[in-house]
Amino acid sequence: MFWYNLSKLILKNRKTWLFMVFVTTLFMGFMASKITMSYELARILPKSDENFKIYEDFKQRFGEDGNVMVIAIETDKIYELETFNQWYDLSKKIKSIEGIKNVLSNTNLFGIEKDSVEKKFNFPPLVPKRPTTQAEVDSIKEKINKLPFYRGVIYSKEGHAHLMAVTFDQSRLNSKGRISISREIESVAREFGVKSNIKVHFSGMPFIRTNFISKVSTELIRFLGLAFLVTIGILYIFFRSIRTVLYTSLLVIISVIWSVGYIVLFGYKITILTGLIPPLIIVIGIPNTIFLVNKYQEEFLKHNDKMRALAVSIEKIGKTTFLANVTTFIGFFVFYFTGSPLLLEFGLVAAIAVMSTWAISLILIPIFFSYSAPPSAKNVRHLDNKNLTAFLRYVNKIVHTKRTSLYWFIAILVVVFTFGMSRLKAVGYIVDDLPQNDPIYADLKFIEKHFHGIVPFEVVIDTKKENGVLNPQVLNKIKVMQREFAKYDDFTNPISLVEAIKLVYQGYRGGDPKYFQLPGTFELQKLSEYVGTVKGKENLATPFIDSTKQFTRVSFQCGDNGTVRIRELVETLQPKIDTIFNYDREAKQWLPKEEQINAKITGNGVVFMKGNDYLLQNLIESTLWAIGLICIVMATQFFDARMILISTIPSILPLIITAGVMGYFGIPLKPTTILVFSIAFGISSDGTIYFLTKYKDELKHHNKTVSEAINETIMYTGISMFYTAIILFFGFGIFAVSNFKGTVYLGSLISITLLMGMIANLILLPALLMTLDNSRNKAK
C-alpha cells in the first residue's frame, strides 16, 4: 500500500517534485563549487590509537618528519668547476623560493673549528662563495671528505651519487601552495639537468604526495567523463532511445552534483577514495533507470495506458530498487564503523549518495516519461532481443534440467579458487599504487639504491627528566641503539644528537676524521664548556632535542620495502630498544618503572604500516558486517532460514572467485583491494533482490508454481539484470585505465565480481530455489 500511495504522490505532484529537486540541486551545486583537494597525509588510524598519539606528539614536538623533498644525481663530474657551480646555483635558486625553509647539499655545508681562547666553536661554511677556480672546488671536496657526518647523507658512500635535501616550511607543507612550490623546484632542477647533461631524480614525501594529489585531481575529471560516456553509450545500445539516454544523463548529472555537495556539507575534501564517489554514483545509479524503464515499457505493452504503466513501475520497481540500494548502502556504510577517517568519509558520503540517487531516479524518471510521448515499437524492441532471449532460455534449461552438473561445476570452482585464496598475501607500499614504469617509482628506487630510501623511520626518546638527554649514560645508550640499527641494510645513517656531538668532538680534536666518535664521560664534560656557548642557528642540537632537553629523536630513512618488512623491523627492534635503555645487564633485571626511559619507534613509515594493518583488520570485519546486515535485509522478505542461506550463496561465491584470482595473480590484500569485497557484495546482492522480489511476486500474486515462477523471472527480470551487469562491468572497468595500481585492481576486481554475481544470481540462485522446492515436496 505504501508504494501504491507513493506512486500517486509522485505523479499527482509532478511540478512540485521537479521544483524541489531543482532547488536542492542548485543548493548542492553551490556547495559543490566549494570542493577542495586534501593536501594532508591520509588519516587512517583513529585518534584513540596509541601509535597515532605517539606520532602526533612527535610532530608537535619536532615538526613534520616527511617535509623533505630530495633531488639526486649520479655523476663523477660534481667536483668539476662548471658542474659544481651549476649545482651551487640550483641550491641558491631553490632556497629563494617562497615556502622553502632550508636547502642542504655539498654546496652549502659547514665545517667546525675550535676557538680555544673564547672557549667556543665556530661553524665556517665550506663554500663561503661561488668558487671561481678548480683549486677552490678541489679544496671543498677535500674538506667534505674529511667530515664523515655527511657521508651517506649528502653523498653516497661510494661517492658517485649526490643529494640535495629541500626542507619545506611547515605552514606550506599541507596546503595547495605545496604543488606550485614542488613544480617550481622540479622546473629549475630539470634546467640544471639539461645544462649539465646529468639525469635528475626526484623523491621525498612532499614530492610524492604532490604528484599523488595531481594525479587524483586529473583522474577525477577523467573518470567522470569516462563513466558518463561508457554507461550512457551502453544504455543507448540497449534501448536505442535518445530520450531515455537524455533523461538518464540529466539524472546522473544531478546525482553527481549531490554527491560532491555531500562531501562539502560534511566538511570533507577530495582524497584518493572520495574522488571515486562521483564516477561510482554514475555507474551505480543507472541500474535504477534500467529497471524503471523496462517495467514501464513492459506494463505499457499490456494496456497502452502511460500513466498507469508509470504508476505500476513506481509501485513494483520502487520497492525492489529500494531494497537493492539498501544492500549497496550497507556495502559502503559499514566503512563508517572502521574508525579510520579516510574510510569513514568515503563510506558515509558514498552510502548517502547511493540512497539519494535512488530517490532522485524514482522521482525524476517517471515524471520525465509522463511528459513524453508513449514508447514506440522501436523503443520496446529491446525487450524481445533474440540473442538475449536465446541466452535466457539456455539459462532456464540449465536451471530446470542440469542442476546436478551445475552444482559439480560450482564445487570444482570453489575448490580451485579456495586454493588460490590460500596464496593471498597482505602487503602495502607507500608508492604501491604507482606502476613500475612511472618516473616517481623509478626515482624512488634510484635513491633507495644509493641512499637506502626516503621513508621516515624515527625513534623518539623520553628521558622523563629535564636535561636528561645530555646524560652520558643516555648518550651511550643511543649510540648502542644506533649500532643495532646499523646491522640492517634497510636504513640510512642516523641523524641524531649523538651524531652532532661526534661532529663537534671531531672539531674539538682538530678535525681529524678518526675523532668522529662519541667521547667518554670526561671528554664530554670538557666538551660541554664549548657546546654551552653555541647559540642560535649554530646550535647543532636544535633539531634533535626539545627546549627542556627531556626529549630527543633519532632519525633514520628506510626504503619503501613494504608493510611486511617494516613490521618485521619494528617487532625486532622495539624489544631491543627497550632492552638497551631499560635493562640492567649487571644486575640482570629491568630498571624500576619510574627510572625507565620511554623510547618508541614512530615516523611516517611506521604509521603507514600500522594504518595498513588497522585497515585490513577493520575491512575484514566490515565485510563480515556487510554480509550479516544484508542477510537481515533478506530475512525481512523471506522468513525462512533456508531462503536466507540460498539468497546469500550467489553473492558470496563471486567473492571466493575474486579472492582466488587475487591469489593466483599475486594481487596483494591491501586497503584498495579489500574494499572490493564489501562493495561488490553489496552491489551483487542487488541482483539477488531483483530476482527474489520478482519470483516472490509471481508466486504470491499470479498463483504460479515454483517452476513457472522461476521461468517467468528468468525471462523478464533476466533482461534488466543482464543490462545492469554489463553496465556495471564496463562502468567499473573504466578504472582499469587509472595511473594507480590500487584503483586498477579495485575497478577490475569489482567488474569481475559483479559479472560473476550476475551469472550466479541468474543461474545458481534459481537452481537452488528449484532444489529447495523439490526437497520440500519430498518432505511432504
Side-chain angles (χ1 to χ4, degrees):
M1 196 63 172
F2 169 81
W3 297 101
Y4 173 79
N5 292 332
L6 181 62
S7 67
K8 298 299 181 187
L9 182 66
I10 291 173
L11 294 175
K12 285 184 178 180
N13 301 279
R14 290 175 290 173
K15 292 182 179 179
T16 302
W17 284 111
L18 286 174
F19 177 76
M20 290 172 61
V21 171
F22 176 73
V23 171
T24 306
T25 303
L26 283 180
F27 171 73
M28 285 298 200
F30 172 73
M31 297 305 297
S33 67
K34 298 181 178 181
I35 192 70
T36 57
M37 301 293 297
S38 173
Y39 298 98
E40 300 177 356
L41 280 173
R43 294 175 298 151
I44 297 175
L45 291 171
K47 292 181 179 180
S48 59
D49 184 86
E50 188 63 28
N51 293 287
F52 179 82
K53 291 178 181 178
I54 292 172
Y55 185 55
E56 287 300 305
D57 288 344
F58 168 84
K59 289 197 296 182
Q60 288 179 10
R61 191 165 284 114
F62 297 108
E64 183 79 50
D65 61 333
N67 62 344
V68 178
M69 178 175 172
V70 172
I71 303 169
I73 58 174
E74 184 177 14
T75 178
D76 293 326
K77 301 189 302 179
I78 191 65
Y79 289 109
E80 293 179 5
L81 177 63
E82 183 179 3
T83 305
F84 187 86
N85 279 338
Q86 289 171 346
W87 192 239
Y88 177 94
D89 294 340
L90 174 62
S91 175
K92 293 295 183 182
K93 284 181 183 178
I94 294 175
K95 183 65 172 68
S96 67
I97 297 173
E98 185 180 354
I100 296 304
K101 183 178 179 181
N102 191 31
V103 178
L104 187 66
S105 74
N106 53 4
T107 66
N108 60 354
L109 302 177
F110 59 84
I112 185 166
E113 295 175 352
K114 180 176 69 170
D115 186 339
S116 300
V117 177
E118 297 291 333
K119 290 279 186 177
K120 69 176 183 179
F121 287 108
N122 295 319
F123 297 88
L126 298 183
V127 189
K129 61 181 180 64
R130 194 174 190 268
T132 56
T133 65
Q134 183 61 46
E136 290 180 73
V137 177
D138 293 340
S139 175
I140 292 167
K141 178 182 178 181
E142 184 180 358
K143 291 176 182 177
I144 293 175
N145 289 339
K146 287 182 179 180
L147 294 170
F149 181 84
Y150 299 117
R151 187 180 301 126
V153 177
I154 296 302
Y155 62 95
S156 61
K157 292 180 179 178
E158 73 279 1
H160 300 302
H162 306 271
L163 180 147
M164 187 177 291
V166 183
T167 304
F168 280 60
D169 189 283
Q170 295 286 340
S171 63
R172 304 295 291 273
L173 187 63
N174 294 322
S175 70
K176 186 177 181 179
R178 186 184 75 226
I179 295 178
S180 59
I181 295 171
S182 181
R183 291 285 179 263
E184 189 173 353
I185 292 171
E186 189 176 356
S187 175
V188 295
R190 291 199 186 282
E191 287 179 11
F192 160 83
V194 172
K195 288 180 182 178
S196 61
N197 196 29
I198 297 172
K199 182 173 177 56
V200 181
H201 304 269
F202 302 92
S203 197
M205 298 308 294
F207 180 77
I208 291 173
R209 286 164 57 189
T210 296
N211 278 272
F212 263 59
I213 288 296
S214 299
K215 290 177 187 292
V216 168
S217 58
T218 302
E219 290 202 344
L220 173 60
I221 298 171
R222 183 202 305 174
F223 287 143
L224 271 174
L226 279 175
F228 184 82
L229 291 174
V230 169
T231 53
I232 293 299
I234 295 173
L235 199 68
Y236 177 76
I237 292 173
F238 287 155
F239 286 94
R240 300 289 181 175
S241 169
I242 296 293
R243 183 170 54 196
T244 301
V245 169
L246 288 176
Y247 292 162
T248 305
S249 300
L250 184 57
L251 168 70
V252 297
I253 290 171
I254 292 171
S255 299
V256 166
I257 292 172
W258 282 37
S259 69
V260 178
Y262 289 136
I263 296 174
V264 179
L265 279 173
F266 284 110
Y268 303 152
K269 298 178 181 180
I270 292 293
T271 65
I272 193 170
L273 286 185
T274 54
L276 296 176
I277 292 175
L280 281 176
I281 289 303
I282 293 176
V283 176
I284 294 172
I286 286 182
N288 297 318
T289 301
I290 291 175
F291 277 87
L292 281 167
V293 173
N294 277 348
K295 186 62 178 176
Y296 161 58
Q297 293 177 347
E298 179 187 325
E299 288 295 319
F300 181 80
L301 288 177
K302 293 178 181 178
H303 42 66
N304 288 330
D305 187 331
K306 182 174 69 174
M307 297 307 291
R308 180 182 168 189
L310 289 170
V312 172
S313 68
I314 294 173
E315 182 181 353
K316 297 290 186 183
I317 300 302
K319 179 181 178 181
T320 301
T321 53
F322 172 76
L323 291 172
N325 280 271
V326 164
T327 61
T328 304
F329 170 91
I330 290 171
F332 285 108
F333 192 65
V334 289
F335 298 141
Y336 183 83
F337 300 105
T338 61
S340 166
L342 179 70
L343 282 179
L344 182 153
E345 295 173 8
F346 172 69
L348 180 61
V349 174
I352 294 174
V354 164
M355 293 311 297
S356 65
T357 299
W358 165 79
I360 293 168
S361 64
L362 191 67
I363 293 169
L364 293 186
I365 292 300
I367 291 177
F368 287 160
F369 277 97
S370 72
Y371 287 112
S372 302
S376 63
K378 178 185 175 183
N379 297 147
V380 298
R381 193 180 301 156
H382 69 95
L383 294 174
D384 194 29
N385 184 293
K386 292 182 180 179
N387 294 328
L388 182 54
T389 301
F391 169 71
L392 294 175
R393 283 175 179 165
Y394 180 69
V395 168
N396 204 24
K397 180 180 178 182
I398 293 174
V399 169
H400 282 83
T401 63
K402 298 183 178 180
R403 290 194 299 277
T404 302
S405 300
L406 173 65
Y407 294 152
W408 274 109
F409 177 72
I410 296 296
I412 293 170
L413 280 182
V414 169
V415 170
V416 170
F417 286 102
T418 299
F419 176 74
M421 285 174 60
S422 67
R423 303 176 64 177
L424 275 173
K425 294 181 180 179
V427 62
Y429 297 84
I430 289 177
V431 295
D432 192 25
D433 281 341
L434 291 176
Q436 294 187 5
N437 60 354
D438 191 287
I440 297 175
Y441 183 89
D443 286 353
L444 176 65
K445 293 306 169 185
F446 171 86
I447 291 170
E448 286 180 359
K449 175 184 175 182
H450 294 284
F451 297 96
H452 293 288
I454 51 88
V455 179
F457 197 99
E458 303 272 354
V459 180
V460 60
I461 300 166
D462 176 9
T463 63
K464 300 180 181 177
K465 297 176 183 177
E466 284 195 15
N467 298 311
V469 298
L470 299 179
N471 185 318
Q473 290 184 342
V474 173
L475 293 173
N476 273 293
K477 288 180 178 181
I478 293 174
K479 182 182 74 172
V480 173
M481 182 194 73
Q482 291 182 176
R483 285 179 180 172
E484 193 63 43
F485 272 73
K487 296 176 182 178
Y488 298 86
D489 292 333
D490 303 76
F491 299 109
T492 60
N493 290 345
I495 300 178
S496 68
L497 177 61
V498 166
E499 296 302 297
I501 291 174
K502 287 162 66 176
L503 176 62
V504 170
Y505 185 61
Q506 180 184 350
Y508 177 78
R509 297 303 297 261
D512 191 331
K514 74 178 182 179
Y515 289 108
F516 182 71
Q517 58 182 274
L518 185 67
T521 302
F522 179 71
E523 290 286 275
L524 276 172
Q525 289 177 348
K526 292 167 60 177
L527 197 64
S528 65
E529 298 175 9
Y530 287 77
V531 175
T533 65
V534 177
K535 304 291 184 183
K537 293 182 181 179
E538 295 177 326
N539 192 345
L540 285 174
T542 300
F544 312 114
I545 59 176
D546 72 326
S547 58
T548 66
K549 300 180 178 64
Q550 175 181 328
F551 294 87
T552 187
R553 67 189 283 194
V554 181
S555 299
F556 299 90
Q557 308 281 324
C558 67
D560 186 17
N561 298 323
T563 53
V564 172
R565 179 56 180 164
I566 293 178
R567 189 184 308 109
E568 288 175 356
L569 291 171
V570 171
E571 291 175 353
T572 301
L573 289 169
Q574 186 62 62
K576 292 183 178 181
I577 292 171
D578 293 337
T579 301
I580 290 168
F581 283 97
N582 299 313
Y583 187 74
D584 188 337
R585 294 187 180 276
E586 292 183 2
K588 295 184 179 180
Q589 64 181 13
W590 291 94
L591 295 174
K593 193 167 185 180
E594 62 273 10
E595 296 181 18
Q596 289 188 6
I597 291 173
N598 191 11
K600 296 293 182 184
I601 296 175
T602 186
N604 219 302
V606 176
V607 170
F608 173 78
M609 178 271 292
K610 295 289 185 181
N612 195 79
D613 290 350
Y614 177 87
L615 281 184
L616 286 174
Q617 177 186 344
N618 281 271
L619 286 171
I620 291 170
E621 292 176 5
S622 298
T623 302
L624 296 176
W625 269 107
I627 293 172
L629 290 172
I630 290 171
C631 284
I632 293 173
V633 173
M634 299 296 185
T636 63
Q637 302 302 301
F638 301 95
F639 300 97
D640 184 326
R642 287 178 295 180
M643 281 295 293
I644 296 171
L645 177 62
I646 283 174
S647 66
T648 306
I649 290 173
S651 297
I652 291 179
L653 178 63
L655 302 187
I656 295 173
I657 293 174
T658 300
V661 169
M662 291 173 62
Y664 284 123
F665 284 91
I667 300 173
L669 271 178
K670 55 182 182 175
T672 45
T673 54
I674 206 167
L675 280 173
V676 169
F677 295 98
S678 57
I679 294 174
F681 185 82
I683 300 175
S684 185
S685 297
D686 293 0
T688 308
I689 294 285
Y690 295 142
F691 193 96
L692 290 180
T693 49
K694 174 66 175 177
Y695 168 71
K696 183 180 177 182
D697 182 68
E698 292 294 330
L699 290 177
K700 186 175 180 180
H701 298 107
H702 300 281
N703 297 318
K704 292 185 177 178
T705 64
V706 168
S707 178
E708 291 170 340
I710 286 175
N711 178 71
E712 193 75 10
T713 304
I714 290 173
M715 296 308 298
Y716 286 93
T717 303
I719 295 173
S720 296
M721 288 175 64
F722 179 82
Y723 288 177
T724 298
I726 296 301
I727 284 181
L728 289 173
F729 178 81
F730 286 102
F732 279 100
I734 63 169
F735 295 114
V737 300
S738 172
N739 289 316
F740 298 107
K741 285 196 291 185
T743 307
V744 172
Y745 291 150
L746 180 71
S748 302
L749 293 173
I750 290 181
S751 292
I752 293 170
T753 307
L754 294 181
L755 190 61
M756 294 299 103
M758 184 272 289
I759 295 171
N761 282 314
L762 206 53
I763 301 176
L764 180 59
L765 177 58
L768 292 172
L769 292 173
M770 289 287 292
T771 300
L772 176 62
D773 181 60
N774 288 343
S775 66
R776 283 173 175 170
N777 291 334
K778 289 179 181 178
K780 293 179 182 178

